[in-house]
């Protein structure tokens, strides 16, 4: 059995798509999360195995680039593979293709290990040995880039984490940040545009009781959003909007 890569083929359902019937940005992140988890299980470093050591996977950075957005009923094949450890960071890459094998987009991520009780990063330890040698594979893009601010007028909003935002790690799930950004941009903007690119830096987890101040700046094509609580930035995200 080849464990170097992992892929799944799915048919997009209405719940995977936005108001325009296209693959929702947060659903793309959810697919990335789930196939990474399935691959990790097969490699022996999945959630159940790590919880025995009070450790969980946590995403620190991601970047997604889409060439074309599939729609409700379309078939998508998502593939993922990790590469060599970078200090305490585990890079993982993704590609998305349509039924004919044509590229739809790609993504890159950086993961770390977190002590589930102490809520702090821990060194890779023996988890590093479970990562296959993928030096013969070419990543579809570079590692996640640095988030950049956008020129424009700043809009300030507030967001209280809700039940639906939280996951089994007891914090706001990484996929929900894309929903927060799309909500902040507004229905009119998202009806007229799609995200050609998005980058998210997860700087500190957001716990249930932490109300976030969201600072959004939007230019003609680019936007930037940061989430702050008590003068501490918990995440920042930027993106490129392209007309539908």
């Amino acid at each position: 059995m080849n464990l170097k890569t992992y892929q799944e083929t799915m048919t997009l359902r209405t719940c995977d798509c936005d108001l325009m019937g296209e693959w929702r940005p947060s659903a793309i992140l959810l697919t990335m999360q789930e196939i990474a988890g399935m691959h990790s299980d097969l490699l022996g470093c999945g959630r159940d195995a790590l919880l025995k050591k009070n450790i969980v996977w946590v995403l620190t950075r991601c970047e997604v680039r889409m060439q074309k957005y599939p729609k409700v009923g379309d078939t998508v094949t998502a593939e993922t593979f990790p590469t060599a450890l970078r200090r305490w960071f585990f890079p993982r890459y993704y590609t998305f293709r349509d039924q004919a094998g044509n590229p739809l987009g790609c993504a890159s991520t950086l993961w770390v290990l977190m002590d589930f009780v102490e809520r702090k990063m821990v060194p890779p330890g023996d988890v590093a040995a479970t990562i296959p040698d993928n030096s013969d594979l070419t990543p579809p893009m570079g590692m996640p880039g640095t988030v950049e601010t956008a020129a424009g007028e700043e809009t300030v909003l507030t967001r209280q984490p809700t039940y639906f935002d939280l996951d089994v790690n007891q914090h706001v799930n990484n996929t929900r940040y894309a929903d927060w950004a799309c909500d902040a941009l507004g229905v009119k903007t998202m009806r007229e545009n799609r995200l050609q690119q998005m980058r998210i830096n997860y700087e500190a987890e957001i716990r249930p009781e932490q109300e976030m101040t969201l600072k959004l700046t939007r230019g003609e094509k680019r936007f930037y959003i940061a989430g702050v609580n008590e003068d501490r930035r918990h995440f920042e995200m930027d993106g490129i909007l392209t007309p539908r």
Side-chain angles (χ1 to χ4, degrees):
M1 183 178 182
N2 177 22
L3 296 181
K4 291 166 66 66
T5 66
Y6 179 83
Q7 72 174 35
E8 285 192 5
T9 298
M10 70 202 84
T11 300
L12 295 187
R13 304 163 297 172
T14 54
C15 61
D16 302 316
C17 299
D18 64 10
L19 77 170
M20 302 303 289
E22 295 184 345
W23 205 10
R24 196 174 66 253
S26 62
I28 297 173
L29 296 180
L30 182 59
T31 295
M32 291 164 55
Q33 172 185 278
E34 293 305 303
I35 65 174
M38 293 297 295
H39 195 198
S40 296
D41 285 339
L42 294 173
L43 293 172
C45 56
R47 178 178 173 81
D48 290 345
L50 294 187
L51 272 178
K52 296 176 182 178
K53 307 174 184 179
N54 285 327
I55 296 172
V56 292
W57 288 107
V58 174
L59 188 59
T60 63
R61 278 193 181 191
C62 81
E63 180 172 351
V64 179
R65 300 176 185 173
M66 296 299 292
Q67 298 171 236
K68 180 181 179 182
Y69 270 84
K71 299 182 178 182
V72 175
D74 287 350
T75 297
V76 176
T77 296
E79 185 173 26
T80 183
F81 63 88
T83 57
L85 189 69
R86 299 292 185 97
R87 298 182 180 177
W88 286 24
F89 296 90
F90 294 80
R92 180 174 279 275
Y93 298 91
Y94 307 79
T95 59
F96 313 113
R97 297 186 179 276
D98 64 17
Q99 190 168 10
N102 300 311
L104 296 169
C106 58
S108 63
T109 54
L110 289 175
W111 298 79
V112 296
L113 299 173
M114 182 183 79
D115 186 299
F116 189 68
V117 177
E118 299 293 330
R119 317 301 292 188
K120 63 182 182 182
M121 285 176 55
V122 296
D126 55 6
V127 176
T130 66
I131 304 302
D133 179 5
N134 281 334
S135 57
D136 58 323
L137 300 181
T138 302
M141 58 184 287
M143 287 193 294
T146 303
V147 169
E148 299 177 1
T149 57
E153 184 177 349
E154 183 178 82
T155 301
V156 179
L157 308 164
T158 59
R159 184 96 182 206
Q160 180 74 40
T162 64
Y163 169 81
F164 189 64
D165 292 323
L166 307 172
D167 64 17
V168 292
N169 289 335
Q170 307 300 308
H171 61 202
V172 174
N173 184 262
N174 75 84
T175 69
R176 298 294 291 146
Y177 293 74
D179 283 330
W180 285 20
C182 291
D183 285 347
L185 287 165
V187 172
K188 183 177 186 298
T189 294
M190 298 312 301
R191 191 191 301 275
E192 297 174 352
N193 300 273
R194 56 174 66 91
L195 290 183
Q196 178 182 334
Q197 176 182 314
M198 59 179 170
R199 296 183 292 199
I200 311 174
N201 288 0
Y202 306 90
E203 300 181 12
E205 64 177 340
I206 300 176
R207 303 282 274 170
E209 68 280 359
Q210 293 178 307
E211 182 178 82
M212 305 303 295
T213 298
L214 303 182
K215 300 180 179 181
L216 170 68
T217 306
R218 183 185 165 190
E220 182 178 354
K221 295 182 178 180
R222 299 189 60 87
F223 72 88
Y224 168 85
I225 185 168
V228 180
N229 174 267
E230 297 182 352
D231 297 323
R232 182 184 186 185
R233 191 172 65 196
H234 285 247
F235 78 94
E236 58 177 350
M237 173 181 178
D238 71 356
I240 298 175
L241 294 166
T242 184
R244 292 186 186 269

